[in-house]
Amino acid sequence: MVTLAEVAQHAGVSASTVSYVLSGKRSISTTTRLRVEESIKELGYHPNAGARALASSRSNIIALMVPLRTDMYVPVMMEIAIAVATTARTHGYDVLLLTGEEGPDAVRRVTGSGLADAMILMDVELDDERLPLLRGGGTLGRAGSRPGDDQPSVLIGLPADTTGLTCVDLDFRATGALCVEHLALLGHRDIAVIGEAPAVYERHTGFAERTLDGLRSRARELGIRLLHRPCEGGYAAMAATLARVLDERPGTTGFVVQNESAVEPLLALLRQQGRAVPEDVSVVAICPEQVAVQASVRLTSVAIPAQEMGRSAVEQLMAKLDGRDLDDVVLIAPELTVRASTGPAPAGAPA
Amino acid sequence: MVTLAEVAQHAGVSASTVSYVLSGKRSISTTTRLRVEESIKELGYHPNAGARALASSRSNIIALMVPLRTDMYVPVMMEIAIAVATTARTHGYDVLLLTGEEGPDAVRRVTGSGLADAMILMDVELDDERLPLLRGGGTLGRAGSRPGDDQPSVLIGLPADTTGLTCVDLDFRATGALCVEHLALLGHRDIAVIGEAPAVYERHTGFAERTLDGLRSRARELGIRLLHRPCEGGYAAMAATLARVLDERPGTTGFVVQNESAVEPLLALLRQQGRAVPEDVSVVAICPEQVAVQASVRLTSVAIPAQEMGRSAVEQLMAKLDGRDLDDVVLIAPELTVRASTGPAPAGAPA
DNA sequence: TTGAAAGCGCTAACAC
DNA sequence: GTGTTAGCGCTTTCAA
């Protein structure tokens, strides 16, 4: 392994000079810099991560905590994770992958050991047990604080109480509202919401409840009848749910689907029952773009902006690490793209 | 931040004693150990990762390189990644998430900086540009080698030349053979293979080609007619592919599907054309269990054992780090589960 | 613009 | 069974 000292010797300068060439923290004459850079390349030098972390108290690593359960929105999580990793790299950071398994202990372990300088948490629950450890984080340098007291962090998702936390999320409330508006504008008066699996609501994951909130309050304002049913993914569960919905509200002409693995089953079932999309019923999905365009009917949808969520979370974190001030909560505005699955409510529909 | 020295002082012992209590590398009297452990808990001590890495030349981190493109088998990749992370933790290792983006440079960076002790590569191509850097890795301690010369590594996937490499993968050749056998045994003589997207073959990802190999050679042995068509995911692409297949081989009664996002579209299209599954045509999928059981017809399938692949890759790596000898190539035997999508070939089918 | 040198917190000889 | 101590490779004052 090549060390900084070896580079220094090779270039005929002192160790500190090499260090400063690398960090750019003090000015170096061009000739010296060139010589050093030449030596670095020639010797194939890479600074030792451990030594650097020890001397500088910064690991240049951010921890990303992903949920353990792989039952939900998996492609989205993956896309976020990759966006986090690539964005982090552009800032000179690497990403440590933590699973939710260890729970709060992982937070303590990473914080305590200085393994990571900061962390990003995905799939935060409304009342998450990891939150107390993170509140007020990101105040490095505040009077009386010692380095390491603190773990700057950003949440992807929105807990019930965001005091002292920085959060990034799609504005699911607005998303719900947007879906209702779109259908209402097309004349639909009876809307059914095919929600996430019951477990998601029981777990009190924020996004599902917020979406419902948005859907309900906008529906109330617009005088729309709304029926919400949680639904497991898959064909069988969707069939049962659909039957119940149509039994209870036969006049339903609009669907909002939030469980991506229920989308295709729903379309298949409607087709099977002779209900044409969008002539007889309209369907709006809340799902990744890819799912919307690959479905058997190109779906009108509100996209889940996974990339942007990941990228934005990292930007927030970098700002914190730089001591910059920033928003506590970044809500990404939803965008509804009209495709082939929604159209005017059928003429004969009950007003 | 609490240091080892503070713990030592608190417990009234020397620093090395504390260190040895932690590592267990020499025997400690019970009373001393108890006192030290008490102090550690009381002070909330966590060893500093950087200092540890510097002093011991081991970071206790393994790097996991995931493909950048999120277009393929995403849930599987995620499941593998999570299995890797959780298994690694049981061995005291953390996982660093690298995207394929940086390519070979990432390998050099991680190797050179001592950021990770070892690495796992996913989605390896038949002739991967990162391989030359890894061949012969894992020989730490061999005469003449200096620490850091080497990057012990394990691949998930199988390149063309496995010399000097350790690989873990599902035995896709056997998988292909198994699918053909199953259908042949049911009397099917004309089988169509709905493969991965053309890009996957162009990229020469090993698994797709190996599956095809297995399918073809077993078909030849059994006198089965086989037609292979690559296929993008989604409904539209599947429709076009299916039309071409049935045009070219109208007598087709068996399908093997390897692109999971083509499965549901295929089932929908067959239904739409009045071909009953499994009465008229049989379908075997190569996909995760979840996809197989959630499909509109419960699918006879060969599962992709994502968890086991991740776990196994880590076990191999741990063995290498311990200097143990091991297999170069671990092929996981495929298992075919019969569900509701396959049955005897229809009586009228051409022999 | 550059160099010298004091640590950062831990591990692992070496001593007893 | 335990203590002493010399580094690990780097960053960052302090001095010139």
Side-chain angles (χ1 to χ4, degrees), chain A residues 149-177:
Chain A
D149 278 11
D150 235 354
Q151 193 70 328
S153 63
V154 170
L155 314 185
I156 296 183
L158 223 47
D161 176 10
T162 62
T163 312
L165 299 172
T166 301
C167 309
V168 171
D169 206 355
L170 173 63
D171 188 340
F172 279 101
R173 232 177 165 288
T175 298

Side-chain angles (χ1 to χ4, degrees), chain B residues 41-54:
Chain B
K41 199 166 303 171
E42 210 164 301
L43 300 179
Y45 169 72
H46 286 271
N48 179 285
R52 204 167 232 196
L54 177 57

Side-chain angles (χ1 to χ4, degrees), chain A residues 328-339:
Chain A
D328 326 7
V329 175
V330 178
L331 286 184
I332 299 173
E335 286 178 31
L336 185 144
T337 304
V338 179
R339 298 200 183 81

